[in-house]
Short mmCIF file of all heavy atoms in Angstrom, two decimals:
data_model
loop_
_atom_site.label_atom_id
_atom_site.label_comp_id
_atom_site.label_asym_id
_atom_site.label_seq_id
_atom_site.Cartn_x
_atom_site.Cartn_y
_atom_site.Cartn_z
N CYS A 8 -30.43 6.58 -10.83
CA CYS A 8 -30.60 6.00 -9.49
C CYS A 8 -30.13 7.04 -8.48
O CYS A 8 -28.95 7.40 -8.46
CB CYS A 8 -29.78 4.72 -9.36
SG CYS A 8 -30.01 3.87 -7.78
N PRO A 9 -31.01 7.57 -7.63
CA PRO A 9 -30.67 8.70 -6.75
C PRO A 9 -29.48 8.44 -5.83
O PRO A 9 -28.78 9.38 -5.46
CB PRO A 9 -31.96 8.89 -5.94
CG PRO A 9 -33.04 8.32 -6.78
CD PRO A 9 -32.43 7.18 -7.50
N SER A 10 -29.25 7.19 -5.44
CA SER A 10 -28.16 6.89 -4.52
C SER A 10 -26.82 6.72 -5.21
O SER A 10 -25.80 6.54 -4.54
CB SER A 10 -28.48 5.60 -3.74
OG SER A 10 -29.66 5.76 -2.98
N VAL A 11 -26.80 6.78 -6.53
CA VAL A 11 -25.57 6.57 -7.30
C VAL A 11 -25.09 7.91 -7.85
O VAL A 11 -25.85 8.64 -8.49
CB VAL A 11 -25.79 5.57 -8.45
CG1 VAL A 11 -24.51 5.41 -9.27
CG2 VAL A 11 -26.23 4.22 -7.89
N VAL A 12 -23.83 8.22 -7.60
CA VAL A 12 -23.24 9.49 -8.04
C VAL A 12 -22.08 9.19 -8.99
O VAL A 12 -20.98 8.84 -8.55
CB VAL A 12 -22.73 10.33 -6.86
CG1 VAL A 12 -22.18 11.66 -7.36
CG2 VAL A 12 -23.83 10.54 -5.83
N PRO A 13 -22.31 9.30 -10.30
CA PRO A 13 -21.18 9.14 -11.24
C PRO A 13 -20.35 10.42 -11.27
O PRO A 13 -20.89 11.50 -11.45
CB PRO A 13 -21.88 8.89 -12.58
CG PRO A 13 -23.22 9.53 -12.45
CD PRO A 13 -23.59 9.50 -10.99
N VAL A 14 -19.05 10.30 -11.07
CA VAL A 14 -18.16 11.47 -11.08
C VAL A 14 -17.81 11.77 -12.53
O VAL A 14 -17.07 11.03 -13.17
CB VAL A 14 -16.90 11.20 -10.24
CG1 VAL A 14 -15.97 12.42 -10.28
CG2 VAL A 14 -17.29 10.88 -8.80
N LEU A 15 -18.34 12.88 -13.04
CA LEU A 15 -18.26 13.21 -14.46
C LEU A 15 -17.37 14.43 -14.70
O LEU A 15 -17.68 15.27 -15.53
CB LEU A 15 -19.65 13.44 -15.03
CG LEU A 15 -20.61 12.25 -14.91
CD1 LEU A 15 -22.04 12.67 -15.22
CD2 LEU A 15 -20.19 11.11 -15.82
N GLU A 16 -16.28 14.52 -13.98
CA GLU A 16 -15.38 15.65 -14.15
C GLU A 16 -14.67 15.55 -15.51
O GLU A 16 -14.20 14.47 -15.91
CB GLU A 16 -14.33 15.67 -13.04
CG GLU A 16 -14.95 15.80 -11.65
CD GLU A 16 -15.77 17.07 -11.53
OE1 GLU A 16 -15.19 18.17 -11.53
OE2 GLU A 16 -17.01 16.97 -11.45
N PRO A 17 -14.59 16.67 -16.27
CA PRO A 17 -14.00 16.64 -17.62
C PRO A 17 -12.59 16.07 -17.68
O PRO A 17 -12.23 15.39 -18.64
CB PRO A 17 -14.03 18.11 -18.05
CG PRO A 17 -15.12 18.72 -17.24
CD PRO A 17 -15.10 18.00 -15.93
N GLU A 18 -11.79 16.35 -16.64
CA GLU A 18 -10.39 15.89 -16.67
C GLU A 18 -10.26 14.38 -16.48
O GLU A 18 -9.17 13.83 -16.59
CB GLU A 18 -9.58 16.61 -15.60
CG GLU A 18 -10.10 16.50 -14.20
CD GLU A 18 -11.05 17.63 -13.84
OE1 GLU A 18 -11.71 18.16 -14.74
OE2 GLU A 18 -11.11 17.98 -12.65
N LEU A 19 -11.38 13.69 -16.22
CA LEU A 19 -11.36 12.24 -16.09
C LEU A 19 -11.90 11.54 -17.33
O LEU A 19 -11.83 10.32 -17.44
CB LEU A 19 -12.19 11.80 -14.88
CG LEU A 19 -11.72 12.28 -13.51
CD1 LEU A 19 -12.73 11.89 -12.44
CD2 LEU A 19 -10.35 11.71 -13.18
N MET A 20 -12.45 12.33 -18.26
CA MET A 20 -13.19 11.75 -19.37
C MET A 20 -12.30 11.57 -20.60
O MET A 20 -11.08 11.66 -20.52
CB MET A 20 -14.41 12.61 -19.69
CG MET A 20 -15.22 12.97 -18.44
SD MET A 20 -15.78 11.54 -17.48
CE MET A 20 -17.30 11.19 -18.32
N VAL A 21 -12.94 11.35 -21.75
CA VAL A 21 -12.20 10.99 -22.96
C VAL A 21 -11.87 12.17 -23.86
O VAL A 21 -11.20 12.00 -24.87
CB VAL A 21 -13.00 9.96 -23.80
CG1 VAL A 21 -13.17 8.68 -23.02
CG2 VAL A 21 -14.36 10.53 -24.21
N PHE A 22 -12.35 13.36 -23.52
CA PHE A 22 -12.21 14.49 -24.44
C PHE A 22 -10.75 14.88 -24.67
O PHE A 22 -10.38 15.29 -25.76
CB PHE A 22 -12.99 15.70 -23.92
CG PHE A 22 -14.38 15.35 -23.46
CD1 PHE A 22 -14.77 15.56 -22.15
CD2 PHE A 22 -15.29 14.81 -24.35
CE1 PHE A 22 -16.04 15.22 -21.73
CE2 PHE A 22 -16.56 14.48 -23.94
CZ PHE A 22 -16.93 14.68 -22.62
N ASP A 23 -9.95 14.76 -23.64
CA ASP A 23 -8.54 15.15 -23.73
C ASP A 23 -7.69 14.08 -23.05
O ASP A 23 -7.43 14.17 -21.84
CB ASP A 23 -8.33 16.52 -23.06
CG ASP A 23 -6.93 17.08 -23.30
OD1 ASP A 23 -6.03 16.29 -23.64
OD2 ASP A 23 -6.76 18.30 -23.16
N PRO A 24 -7.24 13.05 -23.80
CA PRO A 24 -6.47 11.96 -23.20
C PRO A 24 -5.22 12.44 -22.47
O PRO A 24 -4.83 11.86 -21.45
CB PRO A 24 -6.11 11.08 -24.41
CG PRO A 24 -7.16 11.38 -25.42
CD PRO A 24 -7.50 12.82 -25.23
N GLN A 25 -4.57 13.50 -22.97
CA GLN A 25 -3.37 13.99 -22.31
C GLN A 25 -3.70 14.59 -20.95
O GLN A 25 -2.97 14.39 -19.97
CB GLN A 25 -2.67 15.02 -23.21
CG GLN A 25 -2.07 14.42 -24.48
CD GLN A 25 -1.35 15.45 -25.31
OE1 GLN A 25 -1.54 16.65 -25.15
NE2 GLN A 25 -0.51 14.99 -26.22
N LYS A 26 -4.81 15.32 -20.87
CA LYS A 26 -5.22 15.90 -19.59
C LYS A 26 -5.59 14.78 -18.61
O LYS A 26 -5.27 14.84 -17.42
CB LYS A 26 -6.41 16.83 -19.79
CG LYS A 26 -6.91 17.46 -18.48
CD LYS A 26 -8.14 18.32 -18.70
CE LYS A 26 -7.80 19.60 -19.43
NZ LYS A 26 -8.97 20.51 -19.49
N THR A 27 -6.28 13.75 -19.11
CA THR A 27 -6.64 12.62 -18.26
C THR A 27 -5.40 11.94 -17.71
O THR A 27 -5.34 11.59 -16.52
CB THR A 27 -7.49 11.61 -19.05
OG1 THR A 27 -8.67 12.25 -19.54
CG2 THR A 27 -7.88 10.43 -18.19
N ALA A 28 -4.40 11.76 -18.56
CA ALA A 28 -3.15 11.12 -18.12
C ALA A 28 -2.46 11.96 -17.05
O ALA A 28 -1.92 11.42 -16.07
CB ALA A 28 -2.23 10.91 -19.32
N ARG A 29 -2.48 13.28 -17.22
CA ARG A 29 -1.87 14.16 -16.21
C ARG A 29 -2.62 14.08 -14.88
O ARG A 29 -2.01 14.07 -13.81
CB ARG A 29 -1.83 15.61 -16.72
CG ARG A 29 -0.83 15.86 -17.83
CD ARG A 29 -0.60 17.35 -18.01
NE ARG A 29 -1.81 18.07 -18.38
CZ ARG A 29 -2.21 18.27 -19.63
NH1 ARG A 29 -1.49 17.79 -20.64
NH2 ARG A 29 -3.32 18.95 -19.88
N THR A 30 -3.95 14.03 -14.96
CA THR A 30 -4.76 13.95 -13.75
C THR A 30 -4.43 12.68 -12.96
O THR A 30 -4.36 12.70 -11.73
CB THR A 30 -6.25 13.97 -14.10
OG1 THR A 30 -6.56 15.18 -14.80
CG2 THR A 30 -7.11 13.91 -12.84
N GLN A 31 -4.21 11.59 -13.69
CA GLN A 31 -3.90 10.32 -13.02
C GLN A 31 -2.58 10.37 -12.26
O GLN A 31 -2.33 9.53 -11.40
CB GLN A 31 -3.87 9.18 -14.04
CG GLN A 31 -5.16 8.42 -14.18
CD GLN A 31 -5.54 7.70 -12.91
OE1 GLN A 31 -4.72 7.39 -12.05
NE2 GLN A 31 -6.82 7.39 -12.76
N LYS A 32 -1.74 11.34 -12.55
CA LYS A 32 -0.44 11.44 -11.89
C LYS A 32 -0.45 12.43 -10.72
O LYS A 32 0.57 12.61 -10.06
CB LYS A 32 0.63 11.86 -12.90
CG LYS A 32 0.85 10.86 -14.03
CD LYS A 32 1.84 11.38 -15.05
CE LYS A 32 2.02 10.39 -16.20
NZ LYS A 32 2.94 10.91 -17.25
N GLN A 33 -1.60 13.05 -10.48
CA GLN A 33 -1.68 14.10 -9.46
C GLN A 33 -2.26 13.55 -8.16
O GLN A 33 -3.45 13.23 -8.08
CB GLN A 33 -2.54 15.27 -9.96
CG GLN A 33 -1.97 15.97 -11.18
CD GLN A 33 -2.92 17.01 -11.75
OE1 GLN A 33 -3.97 17.29 -11.16
NE2 GLN A 33 -2.58 17.57 -12.89
N ARG A 34 -1.45 13.48 -7.12
CA ARG A 34 -1.92 13.00 -5.82
C ARG A 34 -2.92 13.98 -5.20
O ARG A 34 -3.88 13.57 -4.54
CB ARG A 34 -0.74 12.78 -4.89
CG ARG A 34 0.20 11.66 -5.32
CD ARG A 34 1.36 11.49 -4.37
NE ARG A 34 0.92 11.03 -3.05
CZ ARG A 34 1.74 10.81 -2.04
NH1 ARG A 34 3.04 11.02 -2.18
NH2 ARG A 34 1.28 10.40 -0.88
N ASP A 35 -2.70 15.28 -5.40
CA ASP A 35 -3.56 16.28 -4.78
C ASP A 35 -4.99 16.22 -5.28
O ASP A 35 -5.92 16.66 -4.59
CB ASP A 35 -3.01 17.69 -5.02
CG ASP A 35 -1.69 17.93 -4.30
OD1 ASP A 35 -1.37 17.14 -3.40
OD2 ASP A 35 -0.98 18.90 -4.65
N TYR A 36 -5.18 15.69 -6.48
CA TYR A 36 -6.53 15.64 -7.06
C TYR A 36 -7.45 14.77 -6.21
O TYR A 36 -8.66 15.01 -6.14
CB TYR A 36 -6.46 15.10 -8.48
CG TYR A 36 -7.76 15.21 -9.24
CD1 TYR A 36 -8.15 16.42 -9.79
CD2 TYR A 36 -8.60 14.12 -9.41
CE1 TYR A 36 -9.34 16.55 -10.48
CE2 TYR A 36 -9.80 14.22 -10.09
CZ TYR A 36 -10.17 15.44 -10.63
OH TYR A 36 -11.35 15.55 -11.30
N ALA A 37 -6.90 13.78 -5.53
CA ALA A 37 -7.71 12.89 -4.70
C ALA A 37 -8.39 13.67 -3.58
O ALA A 37 -9.59 13.50 -3.32
CB ALA A 37 -6.83 11.78 -4.12
N SER A 38 -7.64 14.54 -2.92
CA SER A 38 -8.22 15.34 -1.83
C SER A 38 -9.32 16.25 -2.33
O SER A 38 -10.35 16.44 -1.66
CB SER A 38 -7.12 16.18 -1.16
OG SER A 38 -6.11 15.36 -0.62
N SER A 39 -9.11 16.82 -3.51
CA SER A 39 -10.11 17.74 -4.06
C SER A 39 -11.42 17.01 -4.38
O SER A 39 -12.51 17.57 -4.22
CB SER A 39 -9.57 18.45 -5.30
OG SER A 39 -9.39 17.55 -6.37
N ILE A 40 -11.33 15.77 -4.83
CA ILE A 40 -12.53 14.98 -5.13
C ILE A 40 -13.31 14.70 -3.85
O ILE A 40 -14.53 14.86 -3.79
CB ILE A 40 -12.14 13.66 -5.82
CG1 ILE A 40 -11.75 13.90 -7.27
CG2 ILE A 40 -13.30 12.65 -5.76
CD1 ILE A 40 -12.90 14.28 -8.19
N ILE A 41 -12.60 14.28 -2.80
CA ILE A 41 -13.27 13.99 -1.52
C ILE A 41 -13.96 15.23 -0.98
O ILE A 41 -15.10 15.18 -0.51
CB ILE A 41 -12.24 13.45 -0.51
CG1 ILE A 41 -11.69 12.10 -0.99
CG2 ILE A 41 -12.89 13.30 0.88
CD1 ILE A 41 -10.56 11.56 -0.14
N GLU A 42 -13.28 16.36 -1.07
CA GLU A 42 -13.84 17.61 -0.56
C GLU A 42 -15.00 18.11 -1.43
O GLU A 42 -16.04 18.52 -0.92
CB GLU A 42 -12.75 18.68 -0.51
CG GLU A 42 -13.22 20.01 0.06
CD GLU A 42 -12.10 21.03 0.14
OE1 GLU A 42 -10.92 20.65 -0.06
OE2 GLU A 42 -12.39 22.21 0.40
N GLN A 43 -14.81 18.06 -2.74
CA GLN A 43 -15.84 18.57 -3.64
C GLN A 43 -17.16 17.82 -3.51
O GLN A 43 -18.23 18.42 -3.49
CB GLN A 43 -15.35 18.50 -5.09
CG GLN A 43 -16.38 18.94 -6.12
CD GLN A 43 -15.86 18.79 -7.54
OE1 GLN A 43 -14.68 18.60 -7.77
NE2 GLN A 43 -16.76 18.88 -8.50
N PHE A 44 -17.06 16.47 -3.39
CA PHE A 44 -18.28 15.65 -3.35
C PHE A 44 -18.69 15.30 -1.92
O PHE A 44 -19.67 14.59 -1.72
CB PHE A 44 -18.08 14.38 -4.18
CG PHE A 44 -18.05 14.64 -5.66
CD1 PHE A 44 -16.85 14.87 -6.31
CD2 PHE A 44 -19.22 14.67 -6.40
CE1 PHE A 44 -16.82 15.12 -7.68
CE2 PHE A 44 -19.20 14.92 -7.76
CZ PHE A 44 -17.99 15.15 -8.40
N GLN A 45 -17.93 15.80 -0.94
CA GLN A 45 -18.25 15.59 0.47
C GLN A 45 -18.51 14.11 0.78
O GLN A 45 -19.55 13.72 1.33
CB GLN A 45 -19.46 16.44 0.88
CG GLN A 45 -19.22 17.94 0.70
CD GLN A 45 -20.39 18.79 1.14
OE1 GLN A 45 -21.54 18.36 1.09
NE2 GLN A 45 -20.11 20.01 1.56
N ILE A 46 -17.55 13.29 0.39
CA ILE A 46 -17.65 11.84 0.59
C ILE A 46 -17.42 11.53 2.07
O ILE A 46 -16.46 11.99 2.68
CB ILE A 46 -16.61 11.11 -0.28
CG1 ILE A 46 -16.84 11.46 -1.77
CG2 ILE A 46 -16.71 9.60 -0.08
CD1 ILE A 46 -15.78 10.90 -2.70
#
């Protein structure tokens, strides 16, 4: 669906649960997502 953008960044996925857990604790990651996807 062209209007739908699934965010498929590796650090959010299932490949590395420890990395995913670390990402969830990083406040700065939120700003990078907004900037990267130009929300």
Side-chain angles (χ1 to χ4, degrees):
C8 184
S10 298
V11 178
V12 182
V14 179
L15 301 168
E16 299 301 291
E18 56 268 29
L19 297 174
M20 312 304 273
V21 297
F22 314 119
D23 188 340
Q25 292 182 342
K26 179 183 289 187
T27 301
R29 289 195 299 271
T30 301
Q31 265 296 337
K32 297 176 182 177
Q33 297 173 7
R34 294 179 66 180
D35 293 344
Y36 189 78
S38 300
S39 68
I40 285 289
I41 295 173
E42 182 178 350
Q43 177 183 346
F44 289 92
Q45 299 182 332
I46 302 174

